[in-house]
Amino acid sequence: MGIYEELVARGLIAQVTNEEEIREMVNAGKAKFYIGFDCTADSLTAGHFMALTLMKRLQMAGNQPIALIGGGTTMIGDPSGRTDMRKMLTKEDIQHNADCFKRQMERFIEFGEGKAQMVNNAEWLLNLNYVELLREVGACFSVNNMLRAECYKQRMEKGLSFLEFNYMIMQSYDFYYLYKNYGCNMQFGGDDQWSNMLGGTELIRKKLGKDAHAMTITLLTDSQGNKMGKTAGNAVWLDANKTSPYDFYQYWRNVADSDVLKCIRMLTFLPLEEIDKMDSWEGSELNKAKEILAYELTALVHGKEEAEKAQSAAKSVFGAGGNSDNMPSTNLSAEDFSDEGINIIDALIKANLVASRGEARRLIEQGGVSVDNEKVTAVSYIIPVSDFEKGYVIIKKGKKVFHKIIK
């Protein structure tokens, strides 16, 4: 089985522009492809996992990745999958986020001469003269076709800014520029990017001729990756300071039964033959599959040692022993306490278990918070100082999130 056939078997391919040529190039290790990452935060999320593991798989098969950091496109904002306009970031914020991305990508992809490259589209997009750009590529885009694109259609009712309308041209120009200057002959992205990616393919064909189009191949991954990485409205980050290894492990340990084998196929590097044997698993066996998924992905992001700690902590918490040694924890200072203790909402915020006081109130009112196995029923509840005689209390959020508060 070639690497292309493996990608298909793992459920990673959604749409392609020229399947036979793509198959030959990828299997022969002759693809030089790019995937773009806009710098909208200071950490990648679990939603980027598919792109990162895909780049790793293709590099292992001899193909050359280009990780494109969207320092320029982030200044506009991709309207795909959005009901409102993205927050405008400063150049300094974008550069900081790009630096964070690079450090995280290096865990997955091997960079260096003849290996993977990392480039930033700010290098060419921010230096473009607007009138010259319009003259160079403007005639290659049909406004009628652009308005029919899914990424724009879903925004038309609520309003689409002219700023965002330019995003397709910017993304298309990226592929055109990378093709001419880096020898990039293939692009990958989520299937919500299909229209933008076709724009790049068409731009190259119109500017460089039909012969160039034969080398301009658009490969597309499934949108499942874009649906991953969010739970209860909060992103699941790859940065351990934003999502601890334990919480990261627990996120994947708690995926739905219907998704666990799909995630194992798409995201882990376990052999397909081994995964196929899991197809008949049911009941408690699916819990074993979830543990496998959680361990493998935590090891990829945080290393085997942290994965083993997270797995051990999870089993201890849910087992009879209730061992909390490796449980995520937060150390509080004396200033965090009054004479009586600490308010439950303050404790939830200090532990980063909620994003706001409003979220904390809703969680408590819905019966989603317990302290040392006792459900909290009032938002005014004070965890008394006497509860910390053993040095800590354990807050339980929902059914499966545990956190140790240390005094």
mmCIF file of all heavy atoms in Angstrom, residues 2 88 96 124 139 152 208 241 341 377:
data_model
loop_
_atom_site.group_PDB
_atom_site.id
_atom_site.type_symbol
_atom_site.label_atom_id
_atom_site.label_comp_id
_atom_site.label_asym_id
_atom_site.label_seq_id
_atom_site.Cartn_x
_atom_site.Cartn_y
_atom_site.Cartn_z
ATOM 1 N N GLY A 2 0.669 2.146 -0.969
ATOM 2 C CA GLY A 2 1.396 3.404 -1.009
ATOM 3 C C GLY A 2 0.842 4.383 0.004
ATOM 4 O O GLY A 2 -0.241 4.175 0.579
ATOM 5 N N MET A 88 -9.397 41.702 14.953
ATOM 6 C CA MET A 88 -8.220 42.243 14.290
ATOM 7 C C MET A 88 -7.026 42.197 15.248
ATOM 8 O O MET A 88 -7.119 42.654 16.383
ATOM 9 C CB MET A 88 -8.478 43.679 13.848
ATOM 10 C CG MET A 88 -9.625 43.803 12.855
ATOM 11 S SD MET A 88 -9.203 43.111 11.241
ATOM 12 C CE MET A 88 -8.117 44.395 10.639
ATOM 13 N N HIS A 96 4.178 37.174 17.403
ATOM 14 C CA HIS A 96 4.308 36.360 18.630
ATOM 15 C C HIS A 96 3.637 35.002 18.438
ATOM 16 O O HIS A 96 4.201 33.955 18.792
ATOM 17 C CB HIS A 96 3.679 37.090 19.813
ATOM 18 C CG HIS A 96 3.566 36.244 21.049
ATOM 19 N ND1 HIS A 96 4.651 35.876 21.809
ATOM 20 C CD2 HIS A 96 2.473 35.664 21.633
ATOM 21 C CE1 HIS A 96 4.251 35.125 22.816
ATOM 22 N NE2 HIS A 96 2.947 34.977 22.739
ATOM 23 N N TRP A 124 5.657 38.332 1.484
ATOM 24 C CA TRP A 124 5.259 38.833 0.160
ATOM 25 C C TRP A 124 3.922 39.578 0.176
ATOM 26 O O TRP A 124 3.766 40.558 -0.539
ATOM 27 C CB TRP A 124 5.214 37.705 -0.869
ATOM 28 C CG TRP A 124 4.344 36.524 -0.541
ATOM 29 C CD1 TRP A 124 3.015 36.370 -0.799
ATOM 30 C CD2 TRP A 124 4.764 35.303 0.076
ATOM 31 N NE1 TRP A 124 2.567 35.145 -0.363
ATOM 32 C CE2 TRP A 124 3.629 34.463 0.161
ATOM 33 C CE3 TRP A 124 5.983 34.831 0.542
ATOM 34 C CZ2 TRP A 124 3.682 33.182 0.712
ATOM 35 C CZ3 TRP A 124 6.045 33.559 1.097
ATOM 36 C CH2 TRP A 124 4.903 32.754 1.183
ATOM 37 N N ALA A 139 -7.979 40.221 -12.750
ATOM 38 C CA ALA A 139 -8.768 39.746 -13.888
ATOM 39 C C ALA A 139 -8.959 38.227 -13.879
ATOM 40 O O ALA A 139 -9.792 37.704 -14.621
ATOM 41 C CB ALA A 139 -8.094 40.169 -15.194
ATOM 42 N N TYR A 152 -18.241 32.273 1.433
ATOM 43 C CA TYR A 152 -18.861 33.586 1.395
ATOM 44 C C TYR A 152 -20.376 33.509 1.546
ATOM 45 O O TYR A 152 -20.991 34.362 2.195
ATOM 46 C CB TYR A 152 -18.526 34.297 0.085
ATOM 47 C CG TYR A 152 -17.071 34.692 -0.066
ATOM 48 C CD1 TYR A 152 -16.427 34.620 -1.296
ATOM 49 C CD2 TYR A 152 -16.336 35.142 1.024
ATOM 50 C CE1 TYR A 152 -15.098 34.982 -1.439
ATOM 51 C CE2 TYR A 152 -15.013 35.510 0.891
ATOM 52 C CZ TYR A 152 -14.397 35.422 -0.339
ATOM 53 O OH TYR A 152 -13.079 35.794 -0.475
ATOM 54 N N LEU A 208 0.197 31.104 -15.719
ATOM 55 C CA LEU A 208 1.380 30.392 -16.184
ATOM 56 C C LEU A 208 1.094 29.375 -17.285
ATOM 57 O O LEU A 208 2.005 28.715 -17.770
ATOM 58 C CB LEU A 208 2.062 29.691 -14.996
ATOM 59 C CG LEU A 208 2.466 30.623 -13.839
ATOM 60 C CD1 LEU A 208 3.062 29.815 -12.702
ATOM 61 C CD2 LEU A 208 3.443 31.679 -14.313
ATOM 62 N N ASN A 241 0.715 24.839 28.922
ATOM 63 C CA ASN A 241 0.337 25.893 29.861
ATOM 64 C C ASN A 241 -1.111 26.322 29.691
ATOM 65 O O ASN A 241 -1.671 26.975 30.586
ATOM 66 C CB ASN A 241 1.249 27.113 29.687
ATOM 67 C CG ASN A 241 2.683 26.820 30.081
ATOM 68 O OD1 ASN A 241 2.929 26.162 31.084
ATOM 69 N ND2 ASN A 241 3.630 27.284 29.276
ATOM 70 N N GLY A 341 -12.531 30.992 54.011
ATOM 71 C CA GLY A 341 -12.109 30.069 52.966
ATOM 72 C C GLY A 341 -12.025 30.759 51.629
ATOM 73 O O GLY A 341 -11.642 31.938 51.555
ATOM 74 N N THR A 377 -24.233 23.501 45.342
ATOM 75 C CA THR A 377 -25.565 23.900 44.867
ATOM 76 C C THR A 377 -25.770 25.408 44.856
ATOM 77 O O THR A 377 -26.770 25.888 44.329
ATOM 78 C CB THR A 377 -26.646 23.256 45.746
ATOM 79 O OG1 THR A 377 -26.435 23.656 47.108
ATOM 80 C CG2 THR A 377 -26.590 21.736 45.650
#
